[in-house]
Amino acid sequence: MLRIGQDLLDAVVAHARADHPDEACGVIAGAEGSDEPSRFVPMINAARSPTFYEFDSRDLLALYRDMDARGEEPIVIYHSHTATQAYPSRTDVAYASEPQAHYLLVSTRESGREPGPAEIRSYRIVEGAVVEEEVQIVASPGR
Amino acid sequence: MSVEVRIPTILRPYTDGVKIVEAQGDSLAAVITDLDTRYTGIGERLVEEGSLRRFINVYLNDEDVRFLGGIDTPVADGDSVTILPAVAGG
């Protein structure tokens, strides 16, 4: 199960809408071993594509160094699908490389850049096996 | 030549969970060969038909080796090699 703050989820959806029709991507980092996503880090999709995403290689190194320095790991790795459902594609499964992370998918196919329904689903992807998990939304701190 | 190699989470099963290991070699290819002699199988996860795998990023100090000499990039004593799988999908 993924427990995630409403504010973080809202930030992911806003990023997905802003980049539609290209795929948006990023991570939500959190303290190593905590399983608590806390720091929203939107990334640039270096592929700038409606069907593919990839973190820029320099940005990737900077991100991992920053997380290392903060004692963090990627708790959530998110990306959007802009024309299909929020289910991992074959390439998503092939390249998934953080077995401890929650892979969060958002589909903007319904409403695109406009406010409206956005399908949000979460998965574990370990050694080629996809397991969907429940998303439990918690109130944002301070609200 | 002794270099420090940072191993990503997904490859740590090969290094008994160790995050930073030492390796010897005067090129990235030699470093990977040396790693594979101690951590059998790790080489295959990094290299395919003599080149680095497309979705594995390897950095020498601060630079992606694709912008240097790829797998033939020379390494010097005290260099740091970082391996990071691409974060990518469709």
mmCIF file of all heavy atoms in Angstrom, chain A residues 23 51-55 57-58 60-61 64-65 68 77 79 81 89 91-92 95-100, chain B residues 6 8-10 12 19 54-55 57 59-64 66-67 80 82 84-90:
data_model
loop_
_atom_site.group_PDB
_atom_site.id
_atom_site.type_symbol
_atom_site.label_atom_id
_atom_site.label_comp_id
_atom_site.label_asym_id
_atom_site.label_seq_id
_atom_site.Cartn_x
_atom_site.Cartn_y
_atom_site.Cartn_z
ATOM 1 N N GLU A 23 4.574 12.953 -21.763
ATOM 2 C CA GLU A 23 4.588 12.307 -20.460
ATOM 3 C C GLU A 23 5.386 13.152 -19.469
ATOM 4 O O GLU A 23 6.430 13.703 -19.812
ATOM 5 C CB GLU A 23 5.201 10.905 -20.562
ATOM 6 C CG GLU A 23 4.346 9.950 -21.393
ATOM 7 C CD GLU A 23 4.756 8.486 -21.264
ATOM 8 O OE1 GLU A 23 5.658 8.166 -20.459
ATOM 9 O OE2 GLU A 23 4.149 7.656 -21.968
ATOM 10 N N THR A 51 4.892 9.153 -25.616
ATOM 11 C CA THR A 51 4.879 7.701 -25.390
ATOM 12 C C THR A 51 6.109 7.187 -24.643
ATOM 13 O O THR A 51 6.272 5.985 -24.484
ATOM 14 C CB THR A 51 4.808 6.942 -26.739
ATOM 15 O OG1 THR A 51 5.899 7.383 -27.556
ATOM 16 C CG2 THR A 51 3.496 7.199 -27.459
ATOM 17 N N PHE A 52 6.982 8.101 -24.193
ATOM 18 C CA PHE A 52 8.196 7.633 -23.522
ATOM 19 C C PHE A 52 8.666 8.693 -22.537
ATOM 20 O O PHE A 52 8.409 9.879 -22.744
ATOM 21 C CB PHE A 52 9.314 7.369 -24.551
ATOM 22 C CG PHE A 52 10.444 6.551 -24.008
ATOM 23 C CD1 PHE A 52 10.279 5.190 -23.780
ATOM 24 C CD2 PHE A 52 11.669 7.134 -23.691
ATOM 25 C CE1 PHE A 52 11.313 4.431 -23.253
ATOM 26 C CE2 PHE A 52 12.713 6.371 -23.162
ATOM 27 C CZ PHE A 52 12.522 5.017 -22.951
ATOM 28 N N TYR A 53 9.297 8.241 -21.463
ATOM 29 C CA TYR A 53 9.930 9.216 -20.573
ATOM 30 C C TYR A 53 11.287 8.695 -20.150
ATOM 31 O O TYR A 53 11.520 7.487 -20.091
ATOM 32 C CB TYR A 53 9.065 9.524 -19.339
ATOM 33 C CG TYR A 53 9.153 8.470 -18.254
ATOM 34 C CD1 TYR A 53 10.015 8.622 -17.161
ATOM 35 C CD2 TYR A 53 8.389 7.311 -18.317
ATOM 36 C CE1 TYR A 53 10.105 7.656 -16.166
ATOM 37 C CE2 TYR A 53 8.471 6.346 -17.330
ATOM 38 C CZ TYR A 53 9.333 6.523 -16.259
ATOM 39 O OH TYR A 53 9.430 5.559 -15.285
ATOM 40 N N GLU A 54 12.194 9.619 -19.906
ATOM 41 C CA GLU A 54 13.503 9.262 -19.366
ATOM 42 C C GLU A 54 14.076 10.483 -18.663
ATOM 43 O O GLU A 54 14.079 11.582 -19.222
ATOM 44 C CB GLU A 54 14.441 8.821 -20.493
ATOM 45 C CG GLU A 54 15.812 8.398 -19.957
ATOM 46 C CD GLU A 54 16.728 7.751 -21.001
ATOM 47 O OE1 GLU A 54 16.378 7.744 -22.194
ATOM 48 O OE2 GLU A 54 17.799 7.261 -20.589
ATOM 49 N N PHE A 55 14.564 10.294 -17.442
ATOM 50 C CA PHE A 55 15.239 11.389 -16.753
ATOM 51 C C PHE A 55 16.531 11.694 -17.513
ATOM 52 O O PHE A 55 17.231 10.774 -17.946
ATOM 53 C CB PHE A 55 15.628 10.998 -15.315
ATOM 54 C CG PHE A 55 14.486 10.787 -14.356
ATOM 55 C CD1 PHE A 55 13.152 10.809 -14.762
ATOM 56 C CD2 PHE A 55 14.748 10.563 -13.001
ATOM 57 C CE1 PHE A 55 12.119 10.606 -13.863
ATOM 58 C CE2 PHE A 55 13.721 10.367 -12.084
ATOM 59 C CZ PHE A 55 12.408 10.381 -12.515
ATOM 60 N N SER A 57 20.314 12.314 -18.070
ATOM 61 C CA SER A 57 21.351 11.573 -17.343
ATOM 62 C C SER A 57 22.078 12.444 -16.308
ATOM 63 O O SER A 57 22.393 11.979 -15.210
ATOM 64 C CB SER A 57 22.298 10.895 -18.327
ATOM 65 O OG SER A 57 23.551 11.487 -18.352
ATOM 66 N N ARG A 58 22.317 13.717 -16.619
ATOM 67 C CA ARG A 58 22.977 14.593 -15.632
ATOM 68 C C ARG A 58 22.040 14.892 -14.468
ATOM 69 O O ARG A 58 22.453 14.923 -13.311
ATOM 70 C CB ARG A 58 23.417 15.896 -16.280
ATOM 71 C CG ARG A 58 24.671 15.747 -17.108
ATOM 72 C CD ARG A 58 25.336 17.105 -17.315
ATOM 73 N NE ARG A 58 26.568 16.949 -18.053
ATOM 74 C CZ ARG A 58 26.643 17.016 -19.382
ATOM 75 N NH1 ARG A 58 25.576 17.262 -20.103
ATOM 76 N NH2 ARG A 58 27.801 16.852 -19.990
ATOM 77 N N LEU A 60 19.761 12.985 -13.415
ATOM 78 C CA LEU A 60 19.651 11.749 -12.640
ATOM 79 C C LEU A 60 20.769 11.659 -11.609
ATOM 80 O O LEU A 60 20.529 11.344 -10.433
ATOM 81 C CB LEU A 60 19.701 10.545 -13.597
ATOM 82 C CG LEU A 60 19.601 9.166 -12.963
ATOM 83 C CD1 LEU A 60 18.177 8.885 -12.503
ATOM 84 C CD2 LEU A 60 20.037 8.071 -13.943
ATOM 85 N N LEU A 61 22.005 11.954 -12.047
ATOM 86 C CA LEU A 61 23.145 11.914 -11.130
ATOM 87 C C LEU A 61 22.965 12.950 -10.013
ATOM 88 O O LEU A 61 23.163 12.642 -8.834
ATOM 89 C CB LEU A 61 24.447 12.166 -11.885
ATOM 90 C CG LEU A 61 25.718 12.162 -11.019
ATOM 91 C CD1 LEU A 61 25.950 10.780 -10.401
ATOM 92 C CD2 LEU A 61 26.948 12.582 -11.826
ATOM 93 N N TYR A 64 20.311 11.716 -7.481
ATOM 94 C CA TYR A 64 20.737 10.649 -6.575
ATOM 95 C C TYR A 64 21.783 11.143 -5.580
ATOM 96 O O TYR A 64 21.799 10.718 -4.431
ATOM 97 C CB TYR A 64 21.210 9.412 -7.361
ATOM 98 C CG TYR A 64 20.038 8.510 -7.682
ATOM 99 C CD1 TYR A 64 19.167 8.818 -8.729
ATOM 100 C CD2 TYR A 64 19.743 7.398 -6.909
ATOM 101 C CE1 TYR A 64 18.061 8.035 -9.007
ATOM 102 C CE2 TYR A 64 18.638 6.596 -7.176
ATOM 103 C CZ TYR A 64 17.809 6.919 -8.223
ATOM 104 O OH TYR A 64 16.704 6.130 -8.472
ATOM 105 N N ARG A 65 22.632 12.061 -6.011
ATOM 106 C CA ARG A 65 23.612 12.626 -5.066
ATOM 107 C C ARG A 65 22.905 13.431 -3.987
ATOM 108 O O ARG A 65 23.268 13.362 -2.807
ATOM 109 C CB ARG A 65 24.597 13.510 -5.812
ATOM 110 C CG ARG A 65 25.595 12.677 -6.568
ATOM 111 C CD ARG A 65 26.787 13.501 -6.968
ATOM 112 N NE ARG A 65 27.798 12.630 -7.531
ATOM 113 C CZ ARG A 65 28.756 13.035 -8.331
ATOM 114 N NH1 ARG A 65 28.831 14.311 -8.675
ATOM 115 N NH2 ARG A 65 29.649 12.182 -8.789
ATOM 116 N N ASP A 68 21.202 11.081 -1.618
ATOM 117 C CA ASP A 68 22.237 10.470 -0.774
ATOM 118 C C ASP A 68 22.637 11.399 0.362
ATOM 119 O O ASP A 68 22.740 10.995 1.517
ATOM 120 C CB ASP A 68 23.475 10.194 -1.628
ATOM 121 C CG ASP A 68 23.679 8.712 -1.852
ATOM 122 O OD1 ASP A 68 22.764 7.935 -1.506
ATOM 123 O OD2 ASP A 68 24.749 8.342 -2.382
ATOM 124 N N ILE A 77 8.184 6.766 -7.643
ATOM 125 C CA ILE A 77 8.620 7.192 -8.975
ATOM 126 C C ILE A 77 7.345 7.333 -9.798
ATOM 127 O O ILE A 77 6.584 6.367 -9.921
ATOM 128 C CB ILE A 77 9.568 6.166 -9.610
ATOM 129 C CG1 ILE A 77 10.846 6.057 -8.751
ATOM 130 C CG2 ILE A 77 9.918 6.555 -11.050
ATOM 131 C CD1 ILE A 77 11.817 4.989 -9.200
ATOM 132 N N HIS A 79 5.061 8.759 -13.255
ATOM 133 C CA HIS A 79 5.018 9.297 -14.614
ATOM 134 C C HIS A 79 3.590 9.243 -15.110
ATOM 135 O O HIS A 79 2.740 8.594 -14.514
ATOM 136 C CB HIS A 79 6.004 8.588 -15.545
ATOM 137 C CG HIS A 79 5.588 7.243 -16.050
ATOM 138 N ND1 HIS A 79 5.660 6.110 -15.277
ATOM 139 C CD2 HIS A 79 5.107 6.847 -17.250
ATOM 140 C CE1 HIS A 79 5.253 5.067 -15.988
ATOM 141 N NE2 HIS A 79 4.897 5.493 -17.198
ATOM 142 N N HIS A 81 0.694 8.699 -18.270
ATOM 143 C CA HIS A 81 0.318 8.197 -19.586
ATOM 144 C C HIS A 81 -0.704 9.188 -20.118
ATOM 145 O O HIS A 81 -1.629 9.561 -19.403
ATOM 146 C CB HIS A 81 -0.287 6.792 -19.486
ATOM 147 C CG HIS A 81 0.739 5.718 -19.268
ATOM 148 N ND1 HIS A 81 0.408 4.411 -18.996
ATOM 149 C CD2 HIS A 81 2.102 5.760 -19.290
ATOM 150 C CE1 HIS A 81 1.521 3.687 -18.868
ATOM 151 N NE2 HIS A 81 2.565 4.493 -19.026
ATOM 152 N N SER A 89 3.293 0.037 -18.815
ATOM 153 C CA SER A 89 3.499 -0.490 -20.160
ATOM 154 C C SER A 89 4.622 -1.519 -20.112
ATOM 155 O O SER A 89 5.306 -1.673 -19.096
ATOM 156 C CB SER A 89 3.886 0.647 -21.099
ATOM 157 O OG SER A 89 5.137 1.181 -20.689
ATOM 158 N N THR A 91 7.468 -1.324 -21.558
ATOM 159 C CA THR A 91 8.755 -0.659 -21.304
ATOM 160 C C THR A 91 8.862 -0.219 -19.839
ATOM 161 O O THR A 91 9.940 -0.264 -19.263
ATOM 162 C CB THR A 91 8.972 0.550 -22.233
ATOM 163 O OG1 THR A 91 7.775 1.280 -22.336
ATOM 164 C CG2 THR A 91 9.432 0.124 -23.597
ATOM 165 N N ASP A 92 7.742 0.187 -19.239
ATOM 166 C CA ASP A 92 7.780 0.548 -17.811
ATOM 167 C C ASP A 92 8.309 -0.630 -16.987
ATOM 168 O O ASP A 92 9.123 -0.459 -16.075
ATOM 169 C CB ASP A 92 6.377 0.900 -17.294
ATOM 170 C CG ASP A 92 5.853 2.204 -17.860
ATOM 171 O OD1 ASP A 92 6.669 3.035 -18.288
ATOM 172 O OD2 ASP A 92 4.617 2.383 -17.869
ATOM 173 N N TYR A 95 12.171 -1.477 -17.692
ATOM 174 C CA TYR A 95 13.198 -0.579 -17.173
ATOM 175 C C TYR A 95 13.052 -0.268 -15.689
ATOM 176 O O TYR A 95 13.873 0.468 -15.140
ATOM 177 C CB TYR A 95 13.223 0.724 -17.987
ATOM 178 C CG TYR A 95 13.438 0.478 -19.455
ATOM 179 C CD1 TYR A 95 12.715 1.166 -20.417
ATOM 180 C CD2 TYR A 95 14.370 -0.474 -19.877
ATOM 181 C CE1 TYR A 95 12.903 0.914 -21.771
ATOM 182 C CE2 TYR A 95 14.559 -0.734 -21.223
ATOM 183 C CZ TYR A 95 13.822 -0.038 -22.169
ATOM 184 O OH TYR A 95 14.013 -0.295 -23.500
ATOM 185 N N ALA A 96 12.025 -0.801 -15.048
ATOM 186 C CA ALA A 96 11.839 -0.526 -13.617
ATOM 187 C C ALA A 96 13.043 -1.044 -12.842
ATOM 188 O O ALA A 96 13.412 -2.209 -12.962
ATOM 189 C CB ALA A 96 10.561 -1.187 -13.126
ATOM 190 N N SER A 97 13.690 -0.179 -12.060
ATOM 191 C CA SER A 97 14.937 -0.599 -11.427
ATOM 192 C C SER A 97 15.030 -0.188 -9.959
ATOM 193 O O SER A 97 16.102 -0.193 -9.387
ATOM 194 C CB SER A 97 16.119 -0.015 -12.209
ATOM 195 O OG SER A 97 15.972 1.379 -12.317
ATOM 196 N N GLU A 98 13.891 0.163 -9.357
ATOM 197 C CA GLU A 98 13.895 0.473 -7.927
ATOM 198 C C GLU A 98 12.865 -0.434 -7.249
ATOM 199 O O GLU A 98 11.701 -0.066 -7.082
ATOM 200 C CB GLU A 98 13.549 1.956 -7.692
ATOM 201 C CG GLU A 98 14.632 2.930 -8.134
ATOM 202 C CD GLU A 98 15.886 2.899 -7.257
ATOM 203 O OE1 GLU A 98 15.961 2.093 -6.303
ATOM 204 O OE2 GLU A 98 16.796 3.698 -7.536
ATOM 205 N N PRO A 99 13.315 -1.636 -6.854
ATOM 206 C CA PRO A 99 12.352 -2.619 -6.334
ATOM 207 C C PRO A 99 11.628 -2.156 -5.064
ATOM 208 O O PRO A 99 10.544 -2.661 -4.758
ATOM 209 C CB PRO A 99 13.201 -3.866 -6.065
ATOM 210 C CG PRO A 99 14.626 -3.418 -6.149
ATOM 211 C CD PRO A 99 14.666 -2.176 -6.971
ATOM 212 N N GLN A 100 12.221 -1.196 -4.338
ATOM 213 C CA GLN A 100 11.566 -0.759 -3.101
ATOM 214 C C GLN A 100 10.606 0.418 -3.343
ATOM 215 O O GLN A 100 9.912 0.843 -2.437
ATOM 216 C CB GLN A 100 12.615 -0.397 -2.028
ATOM 217 C CG GLN A 100 13.168 1.024 -2.095
ATOM 218 C CD GLN A 100 13.979 1.294 -3.357
ATOM 219 O OE1 GLN A 100 14.448 0.385 -4.023
ATOM 220 N NE2 GLN A 100 14.119 2.554 -3.716
ATOM 221 N N ARG B 6 30.267 3.142 -7.006
ATOM 222 C CA ARG B 6 28.990 3.206 -6.281
ATOM 223 C C ARG B 6 27.965 2.328 -6.989
ATOM 224 O O ARG B 6 27.703 2.494 -8.176
ATOM 225 C CB ARG B 6 28.489 4.651 -6.197
ATOM 226 C CG ARG B 6 29.476 5.568 -5.487
ATOM 227 C CD ARG B 6 28.957 6.977 -5.399
ATOM 228 N NE ARG B 6 27.990 7.121 -4.328
ATOM 229 C CZ ARG B 6 28.318 7.433 -3.075
ATOM 230 N NH1 ARG B 6 29.590 7.629 -2.738
ATOM 231 N NH2 ARG B 6 27.395 7.560 -2.163
ATOM 232 N N PRO B 8 24.203 0.746 -7.482
ATOM 233 C CA PRO B 8 22.800 1.092 -7.232
ATOM 234 C C PRO B 8 22.057 -0.036 -6.510
ATOM 235 O O PRO B 8 22.489 -1.194 -6.560
ATOM 236 C CB PRO B 8 22.230 1.289 -8.640
ATOM 237 C CG PRO B 8 23.050 0.394 -9.500
ATOM 238 C CD PRO B 8 24.434 0.372 -8.883
ATOM 239 N N THR B 9 20.973 0.314 -5.864
ATOM 240 C CA THR B 9 20.176 -0.649 -5.076
ATOM 241 C C THR B 9 19.947 -1.963 -5.817
ATOM 242 O O THR B 9 20.158 -3.041 -5.255
ATOM 243 C CB THR B 9 18.802 -0.029 -4.736
ATOM 244 O OG1 THR B 9 19.013 1.264 -4.194
ATOM 245 C CG2 THR B 9 18.048 -0.886 -3.737
ATOM 246 N N ILE B 10 19.548 -1.836 -7.095
ATOM 247 C CA ILE B 10 19.132 -3.055 -7.813
ATOM 248 C C ILE B 10 20.289 -4.023 -8.062
ATOM 249 O O ILE B 10 20.068 -5.219 -8.262
ATOM 250 C CB ILE B 10 18.416 -2.679 -9.132
ATOM 251 C CG1 ILE B 10 17.661 -3.886 -9.674
ATOM 252 C CG2 ILE B 10 19.386 -2.106 -10.156
ATOM 253 C CD1 ILE B 10 16.506 -3.569 -10.545
ATOM 254 N N ARG B 12 22.846 -4.315 -5.783
ATOM 255 C CA ARG B 12 23.497 -4.643 -4.506
ATOM 256 C C ARG B 12 23.370 -6.103 -4.089
ATOM 257 O O ARG B 12 24.207 -6.574 -3.312
ATOM 258 C CB ARG B 12 23.008 -3.699 -3.399
ATOM 259 C CG ARG B 12 23.704 -2.349 -3.511
ATOM 260 C CD ARG B 12 23.292 -1.351 -2.446
ATOM 261 N NE ARG B 12 23.352 -0.012 -3.024
ATOM 262 C CZ ARG B 12 22.649 1.021 -2.625
ATOM 263 N NH1 ARG B 12 21.812 0.899 -1.606
ATOM 264 N NH2 ARG B 12 22.768 2.182 -3.215
ATOM 265 N N LYS B 19 27.274 -0.771 -0.781
ATOM 266 C CA LYS B 19 26.941 0.361 -1.627
ATOM 267 C C LYS B 19 28.156 0.902 -2.389
ATOM 268 O O LYS B 19 28.041 1.355 -3.504
ATOM 269 C CB LYS B 19 26.403 1.457 -0.685
ATOM 270 C CG LYS B 19 25.598 2.538 -1.291
ATOM 271 C CD LYS B 19 24.937 3.356 -0.150
ATOM 272 C CE LYS B 19 24.181 4.537 -0.669
ATOM 273 N NZ LYS B 19 23.454 5.230 0.432
ATOM 274 N N ARG B 54 22.084 0.242 -22.893
ATOM 275 C CA ARG B 54 21.442 1.524 -23.176
ATOM 276 C C ARG B 54 20.825 2.158 -21.923
ATOM 277 O O ARG B 54 20.875 3.364 -21.735
ATOM 278 C CB ARG B 54 20.377 1.302 -24.259
ATOM 279 C CG ARG B 54 19.307 2.367 -24.411
ATOM 280 C CD ARG B 54 19.839 3.660 -25.001
ATOM 281 N NE ARG B 54 18.766 4.646 -25.139
ATOM 282 C CZ ARG B 54 18.380 5.490 -24.190
ATOM 283 N NH1 ARG B 54 18.972 5.472 -23.013
ATOM 284 N NH2 ARG B 54 17.418 6.349 -24.392
ATOM 285 N N PHE B 55 20.216 1.353 -21.054
ATOM 286 C CA PHE B 55 19.505 1.931 -19.913
ATOM 287 C C PHE B 55 20.274 1.800 -18.604
ATOM 288 O O PHE B 55 19.691 1.792 -17.530
ATOM 289 C CB PHE B 55 18.078 1.374 -19.830
ATOM 290 C CG PHE B 55 17.232 1.922 -20.940
ATOM 291 C CD1 PHE B 55 16.991 1.183 -22.089
ATOM 292 C CD2 PHE B 55 16.739 3.215 -20.880
ATOM 293 C CE1 PHE B 55 16.250 1.717 -23.139
ATOM 294 C CE2 PHE B 55 16.002 3.761 -21.918
ATOM 295 C CZ PHE B 55 15.746 3.013 -23.053
ATOM 296 N N ASN B 57 23.280 3.963 -16.823
ATOM 297 C CA ASN B 57 24.136 5.143 -16.897
ATOM 298 C C ASN B 57 25.346 4.924 -16.002
ATOM 299 O O ASN B 57 25.198 4.509 -14.850
ATOM 300 C CB ASN B 57 23.397 6.391 -16.423
ATOM 301 C CG ASN B 57 22.229 6.744 -17.331
ATOM 302 O OD1 ASN B 57 22.261 6.468 -18.525
ATOM 303 N ND2 ASN B 57 21.205 7.335 -16.774
ATOM 304 N N TYR B 59 28.838 6.947 -14.665
ATOM 305 C CA TYR B 59 29.483 8.256 -14.583
ATOM 306 C C TYR B 59 30.897 8.080 -14.064
ATOM 307 O O TYR B 59 31.131 7.324 -13.115
ATOM 308 C CB TYR B 59 28.727 9.173 -13.613
ATOM 309 C CG TYR B 59 27.253 9.303 -13.946
ATOM 310 C CD1 TYR B 59 26.334 8.371 -13.461
ATOM 311 C CD2 TYR B 59 26.782 10.354 -14.732
ATOM 312 C CE1 TYR B 59 24.987 8.477 -13.767
ATOM 313 C CE2 TYR B 59 25.432 10.461 -15.036
ATOM 314 C CZ TYR B 59 24.538 9.526 -14.551
ATOM 315 O OH TYR B 59 23.203 9.635 -14.855
ATOM 316 N N LEU B 60 31.824 8.811 -14.697
ATOM 317 C CA LEU B 60 33.177 8.894 -14.158
ATOM 318 C C LEU B 60 33.254 10.254 -13.476
ATOM 319 O O LEU B 60 33.122 11.286 -14.150
ATOM 320 C CB LEU B 60 34.220 8.778 -15.274
ATOM 321 C CG LEU B 60 35.669 8.901 -14.782
ATOM 322 C CD1 LEU B 60 36.043 7.744 -13.873
ATOM 323 C CD2 LEU B 60 36.619 8.983 -15.973
ATOM 324 N N ASN B 61 33.419 10.236 -12.165
ATOM 325 C CA ASN B 61 33.336 11.459 -11.371
ATOM 326 C C ASN B 61 31.987 12.133 -11.683
ATOM 327 O O ASN B 61 30.968 11.565 -11.352
ATOM 328 C CB ASN B 61 34.556 12.333 -11.592
ATOM 329 C CG ASN B 61 35.833 11.559 -11.244
ATOM 330 O OD1 ASN B 61 35.868 10.870 -10.230
ATOM 331 N ND2 ASN B 61 36.840 11.632 -12.088
ATOM 332 N N ASP B 62 31.961 13.291 -12.364
ATOM 333 C CA ASP B 62 30.700 13.992 -12.595
ATOM 334 C C ASP B 62 30.157 13.845 -14.007
ATOM 335 O O ASP B 62 29.150 14.464 -14.346
ATOM 336 C CB ASP B 62 30.878 15.495 -12.319
ATOM 337 C CG ASP B 62 31.181 15.764 -10.868
ATOM 338 O OD1 ASP B 62 30.706 14.990 -10.013
ATOM 339 O OD2 ASP B 62 31.909 16.734 -10.597
ATOM 340 N N GLU B 63 30.815 13.048 -14.848
ATOM 341 C CA GLU B 63 30.450 13.024 -16.267
ATOM 342 C C GLU B 63 29.931 11.656 -16.703
ATOM 343 O O GLU B 63 30.518 10.621 -16.359
ATOM 344 C CB GLU B 63 31.680 13.411 -17.098
ATOM 345 C CG GLU B 63 31.407 13.632 -18.571
ATOM 346 C CD GLU B 63 30.512 14.838 -18.861
ATOM 347 O OE1 GLU B 63 31.061 15.957 -18.975
ATOM 348 O OE2 GLU B 63 29.288 14.657 -18.982
ATOM 349 N N ASP B 64 28.843 11.671 -17.454
ATOM 350 C CA ASP B 64 28.320 10.452 -18.073
ATOM 351 C C ASP B 64 29.377 9.945 -19.058
ATOM 352 O O ASP B 64 29.817 10.703 -19.929
ATOM 353 C CB ASP B 64 27.009 10.798 -18.803
ATOM 354 C CG ASP B 64 26.289 9.573 -19.347
ATOM 355 O OD1 ASP B 64 26.960 8.584 -19.715
ATOM 356 O OD2 ASP B 64 25.049 9.610 -19.418
ATOM 357 N N ARG B 66 29.193 8.261 -21.569
ATOM 358 C CA ARG B 66 28.798 8.351 -22.985
ATOM 359 C C ARG B 66 29.391 9.595 -23.637
ATOM 360 O O ARG B 66 29.599 9.631 -24.837
ATOM 361 C CB ARG B 66 27.280 8.416 -23.126
ATOM 362 C CG ARG B 66 26.633 7.075 -22.959
ATOM 363 C CD ARG B 66 25.175 7.065 -23.396
ATOM 364 N NE ARG B 66 24.583 5.827 -22.942
ATOM 365 C CZ ARG B 66 24.017 5.669 -21.763
ATOM 366 N NH1 ARG B 66 23.911 6.680 -20.931
ATOM 367 N NH2 ARG B 66 23.547 4.496 -21.413
ATOM 368 N N PHE B 67 29.613 10.630 -22.818
ATOM 369 C CA PHE B 67 30.202 11.866 -23.350
ATOM 370 C C PHE B 67 31.728 11.828 -23.244
ATOM 371 O O PHE B 67 32.410 12.793 -23.568
ATOM 372 C CB PHE B 67 29.654 13.094 -22.623
ATOM 373 C CG PHE B 67 28.150 13.174 -22.685
ATOM 374 C CD1 PHE B 67 27.387 13.100 -21.540
ATOM 375 C CD2 PHE B 67 27.509 13.309 -23.913
ATOM 376 C CE1 PHE B 67 25.993 13.158 -21.608
ATOM 377 C CE2 PHE B 67 26.127 13.369 -23.987
ATOM 378 C CZ PHE B 67 25.362 13.294 -22.838
ATOM 379 N N SER B 80 36.127 8.199 -9.145
ATOM 380 C CA SER B 80 34.901 7.630 -8.612
ATOM 381 C C SER B 80 33.977 7.278 -9.775
ATOM 382 O O SER B 80 33.752 8.094 -10.669
ATOM 383 C CB SER B 80 34.242 8.657 -7.687
ATOM 384 O OG SER B 80 32.950 8.227 -7.350
ATOM 385 N N THR B 82 30.170 5.961 -10.754
ATOM 386 C CA THR B 82 28.813 5.802 -10.222
ATOM 387 C C THR B 82 27.960 5.100 -11.276
ATOM 388 O O THR B 82 27.952 5.510 -12.434
ATOM 389 C CB THR B 82 28.189 7.176 -9.906
ATOM 390 O OG1 THR B 82 29.023 7.860 -8.970
ATOM 391 C CG2 THR B 82 26.788 7.025 -9.309
ATOM 392 N N LEU B 84 24.141 4.103 -12.299
ATOM 393 C CA LEU B 84 22.728 4.369 -12.018
ATOM 394 C C LEU B 84 21.881 3.854 -13.174
ATOM 395 O O LEU B 84 22.081 4.273 -14.317
ATOM 396 C CB LEU B 84 22.475 5.879 -11.877
ATOM 397 C CG LEU B 84 22.943 6.577 -10.617
ATOM 398 C CD1 LEU B 84 22.668 8.079 -10.723
ATOM 399 C CD2 LEU B 84 22.249 6.008 -9.384
ATOM 400 N N PRO B 85 20.931 2.982 -12.904
ATOM 401 C CA PRO B 85 20.027 2.584 -13.972
ATOM 402 C C PRO B 85 19.207 3.798 -14.397
ATOM 403 O O PRO B 85 18.864 4.646 -13.563
ATOM 404 C CB PRO B 85 19.115 1.544 -13.327
ATOM 405 C CG PRO B 85 19.677 1.261 -11.986
ATOM 406 C CD PRO B 85 20.590 2.364 -11.614
ATOM 407 N N ALA B 86 18.923 3.899 -15.687
ATOM 408 C CA ALA B 86 18.074 4.986 -16.161
ATOM 409 C C ALA B 86 16.711 4.884 -15.479
ATOM 410 O O ALA B 86 16.245 3.792 -15.159
ATOM 411 C CB ALA B 86 17.905 4.878 -17.670
ATOM 412 N N VAL B 87 16.106 6.036 -15.235
ATOM 413 C CA VAL B 87 14.708 6.036 -14.816
ATOM 414 C C VAL B 87 13.929 6.387 -16.068
ATOM 415 O O VAL B 87 13.975 7.526 -16.557
ATOM 416 C CB VAL B 87 14.445 7.023 -13.669
ATOM 417 C CG1 VAL B 87 12.967 7.004 -13.294
ATOM 418 C CG2 VAL B 87 15.304 6.671 -12.463
ATOM 419 N N ALA B 88 13.275 5.383 -16.631
ATOM 420 C CA ALA B 88 12.679 5.524 -17.956
ATOM 421 C C ALA B 88 11.539 4.538 -18.119
ATOM 422 O O ALA B 88 11.414 3.574 -17.359
ATOM 423 C CB ALA B 88 13.741 5.269 -19.033
ATOM 424 N N GLY B 89 10.719 4.796 -19.102
ATOM 425 C CA GLY B 89 9.619 3.894 -19.400
ATOM 426 C C GLY B 89 8.784 4.488 -20.505
ATOM 427 O O GLY B 89 9.187 5.438 -21.165
ATOM 428 N N GLY B 90 7.592 3.890 -20.695
ATOM 429 C CA GLY B 90 6.775 4.375 -21.801
ATOM 430 C C GLY B 90 5.394 4.774 -21.358
ATOM 431 O O GLY B 90 5.132 4.881 -20.186
#
